[in-house]
């Protein structure tokens, strides 16, 4: 593009901010504006002065997630970090700074770590997990059912998956509230991120010490004993991955599905009337309002061309999961989501597809199904436009979901 008045190239548009209050409203509008201005790959800033590329295109995101030769998971390649653009106390580092986990590994090392985590998750008793989720869901609803009102993010959606995850790794229920605040602080990538990271590390370091001395029937013990030979440090950081990636997305998935039921009368009437299953509602949310809207990150191993953008070696690429799901190139002409279509990218794609997607679905399904049956006349206590989201570049997380309903007794 040329500045015809001056006879010289016009300056490129400033990268869009992927932080702050711009993320508290309808981020879909932001992503569509970026798509219109830049195409399937857009320049953004993760914090002032820290550049990255947001991958908005469905096909481009598949290319990035499947091509480890050009796009590595290892954030030690991150050029902005190595050039000092990321300050040492940056709130981005708890999410993007290197950890010895499957999220930052490629090739054979990723397969080693992924096998250990996958084998551990497969050892979970699915029937027992479902019973545990239903028990905890009813217990949480018993606490509010007689009040006729509740705040479903804090009272239900955030507490339930974290209790389940805590039990899964061998932590006591009493630690769940402390972990919930830490998970939110870390994922928001705000001022509390580093303190939240310390809380998680201290709590889980003590858990690894306890399970090393006295193993039990839990994921921590299974990781420590796995033939892949994970070190205590590797186990610690994989527990952080399980707690953060297993809790926050599941909680947001629950809350966003309930929001859909309460704001779309057509959809809610179908679910409660039995014509549309809870699974279909959950899939609708994964397409339209996924619990993880963006995910870090990939780092270019060489200079490459992607989506008509010149990507330099070491550049960070952020996976725009929500934007890619809305890519017009893959949307049906009428915009309707076909029930059962799970070709969305809400769990990413390629070798790093989320290994906990099946437990997450079980938790979210049981949570929503229990809620619908326990409180069938659930309704929003505020206008839909009053709902806001946390200013996280990663999570699509409601700040609150206040509701009213007819008071009932506890579960029989």
């Amino acid at each position: 593009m040329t500045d015809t008045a001056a006879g010289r190239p016009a300056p490129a548009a400033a990268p869009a901010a992927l932080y702050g209050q711009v993320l508290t409203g309808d981020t879909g509008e932001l992503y569509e504006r970026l798509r219109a201005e830049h195409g399937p790959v857009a320049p953004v800033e993760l914090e002032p002065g820290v550049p990255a590329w947001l991958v908005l295109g469905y096909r481009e995101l598949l290319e990035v997630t499947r091509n480890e030769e050009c796009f590595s998971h290892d954030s030690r390649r991150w050029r902005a970090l190595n050039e000092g653009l990321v300050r040492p106390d940056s709130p981005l580092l708890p999410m993007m700074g290197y950890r010895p986990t499957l999220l930052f590994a490629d090739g054979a090392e990723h397969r080693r770590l992924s096998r250990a985590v996958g084998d551990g998750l497969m050892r979970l008793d699915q029937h027992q997990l479902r019973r545990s989720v239903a028990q905890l869901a009813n217990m949480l609803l018993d606490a509010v059912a007689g009040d006729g009102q509740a705040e479903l993010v804090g009272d239900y959606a955030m507490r339930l998956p974290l209790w389940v995850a805590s039990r899964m790794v061998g932590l006591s229920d009493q630690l769940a509230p402390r972990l919930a605040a830490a998970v939110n602080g870390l994922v928001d990538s705000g001022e509390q991120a580093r303190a939240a990271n310390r809380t998680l590390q201290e709590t889980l370091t003590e858990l690894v010490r306890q399970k090393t001395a006295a193993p039990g029937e839990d994921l921590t013990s299974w990781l420590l004993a796995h033939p892949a030979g994970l070190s205590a440090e590797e186990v610690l950081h994989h527990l952080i991955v399980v707690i953060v990636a297993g809790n926050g997305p599941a909680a947001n998935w629950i809350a966003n599905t309930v929001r859909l039921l309460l704001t779309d009368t057509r959809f809610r009437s179908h679910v409660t009337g039995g014509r549309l299953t809870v699974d279909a509602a959950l899939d609708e949310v994964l397409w339209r309002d996924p619990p993880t809207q963006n995910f870090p990150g990939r780092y270019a191993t060489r200079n490459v061309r992607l989506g008509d953008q010149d990507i330099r070696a070491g550049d960070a690429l952020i996976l725009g999961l929500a934007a890619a799901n809305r890519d017009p190139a893959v949307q049906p002409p009428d915009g309707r989501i076909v029930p059962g279509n799970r070709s969305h990218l809400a769990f990413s794609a390629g070798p790093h597809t989320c290994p906990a997607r099946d437990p997450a679905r079980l938790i979210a399904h049981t949570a929503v199904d229990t809620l619908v049956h326990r409180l069938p006349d659930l309704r929003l206590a505020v206008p839909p436009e009053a709902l806001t989201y946390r200013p996280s570049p990663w999570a699509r997380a409601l700040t609150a979901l206040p509701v009213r309903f007819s008071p009932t007794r506890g579960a029989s």
Side-chain angles (χ1 to χ4, degrees):
M1 179 171 142
T2 300
D3 183 342
T4 55
R8 61 180 181 274
L18 201 64
Y19 58 88
Q21 293 305 303
V22 68
L23 299 167
T24 62
D26 183 2
T27 52
E29 294 181 359
L30 169 65
Y31 302 143
E32 291 316 303
R33 175 174 63 80
L34 291 176
R35 196 193 313 274
E37 292 177 357
H38 302 284
V41 180
V44 296
E45 281 191 332
L46 302 179
E47 61 181 18
V50 179
W53 298 98
L54 181 62
V55 184
L56 305 157
Y58 187 97
R59 294 185 178 91
E60 288 74 15
L61 195 145
L62 287 179
E63 167 66 16
V64 170
T65 54
R66 292 172 175 173
N67 187 348
E68 290 185 327
E69 183 178 345
C70 291
F71 305 105
S72 172
H73 299 79
D74 191 340
S75 64
R76 290 173 295 188
R77 296 176 178 268
W78 189 8
R79 187 161 53 83
L81 179 64
N82 294 331
E83 292 180 354
L85 298 179
V86 183
R87 64 185 193 272
D89 62 346
S90 169
L92 295 171
L93 290 176
M95 282 292 288
M96 297 183 68
Y98 176 80
R99 298 178 189 268
T101 74
L102 75 174
L103 294 181
F104 296 89
D106 301 313
E109 180 64 0
H110 172 258
R111 290 190 291 274
R112 178 181 77 90
L113 299 172
S114 181
R115 184 171 65 253
V117 173
D119 288 350
L121 292 172
M122 286 184 63
R123 291 185 65 172
L124 296 172
D125 184 327
Q126 298 298 301
H127 297 293
Q128 178 57 42
L129 179 60
R130 188 181 300 277
R131 287 193 296 270
S132 181
V133 175
Q135 175 193 28
L136 291 169
N138 277 300
M139 186 166 59
L140 289 171
L141 293 175
D142 285 345
V144 300
D147 299 337
Q149 61 183 2
E151 194 289 282
L152 289 182
V153 171
D155 292 342
Y156 191 67
M158 283 302 302
R159 296 179 67 185
L160 177 56
L162 195 55
W163 271 4
V164 174
S166 296
R167 291 184 177 186
M168 189 184 302
V169 301
L171 281 168
S172 68
D173 289 349
Q174 288 71 30
L175 288 172
R178 184 184 183 201
L179 290 181
V183 168
N184 285 343
L186 189 147
V187 174
D188 283 353
S189 290
E191 294 180 356
Q192 303 302 316
R194 292 178 66 81
N197 186 52
R198 285 195 299 272
T199 296
L200 281 173
Q201 292 205 182
E202 290 168 0
T203 302
L204 296 173
T205 295
E206 176 60 19
L207 176 66
V208 171
R209 186 194 65 78
Q210 292 175 0
K211 294 300 180 179
T212 299
E217 289 298 309
D218 51 69
L219 185 58
T220 304
S221 301
W222 298 335
L223 288 176
L224 286 166
H226 195 274
L230 274 65
S231 67
E233 182 185 20
E234 288 175 330
V235 171
L236 163 67
H237 287 286
H238 279 93
L239 292 180
I240 294 175
V241 169
V242 169
I243 293 293
V244 174
N247 172 72
N252 299 335
W253 196 2
I254 293 166
N256 294 349
T257 301
V258 176
R259 183 203 62 80
L260 175 67
L261 298 180
L262 299 181
T263 57
D264 185 335
T265 55
R266 174 199 59 83
F267 201 92
R268 184 182 181 186
S269 67
H270 278 257
V271 172
T272 55
R275 293 184 295 276
L276 193 62
T277 66
V278 169
D279 271 327
L282 292 167
D283 283 334
E284 177 95 3
V285 168
L286 291 180
W287 276 103
R288 302 293 193 198
D289 198 22
T292 301
Q293 58 180 334
N294 302 306
F295 195 79
R298 301 295 189 271
Y299 306 88
T301 62
R302 64 190 71 171
N303 295 343
V304 296
R305 184 92 172 154
L306 179 73
D308 292 328
Q309 301 285 5
D310 291 315
I311 313 298
R312 294 175 58 193
D315 280 0
L317 297 101
I318 305 303
L319 306 182
L321 306 179
N325 281 349
R326 291 175 174 265
D327 187 341
V330 297
Q331 284 289 312
D334 60 3
R336 293 180 178 271
I337 301 301
V338 178
N341 180 359
R342 295 182 182 173
S343 59
H344 55 73
L345 299 175
F347 295 114
S348 191
H352 281 251
T353 300
C354 176
R357 59 192 180 277
D358 291 337
R361 177 175 287 274
L362 186 153
I363 293 167
H365 181 282
T366 305
V368 175
D369 190 56
T370 303
L371 182 68
V372 166
H373 284 89
R374 285 288 304 275
L375 306 175
D377 67 341
L378 199 66
R379 57 197 181 277
L380 268 181
V382 299
E385 59 270 18
L387 298 175
T388 60
Y389 293 81
R390 299 206 315 267
S392 169
W394 319 120
R396 183 63 172 163
L398 284 162
T399 55
L401 189 60
V403 296
R404 293 193 180 99
F405 47 86
S406 299
T408 64
R409 295 181 180 180
S412 57

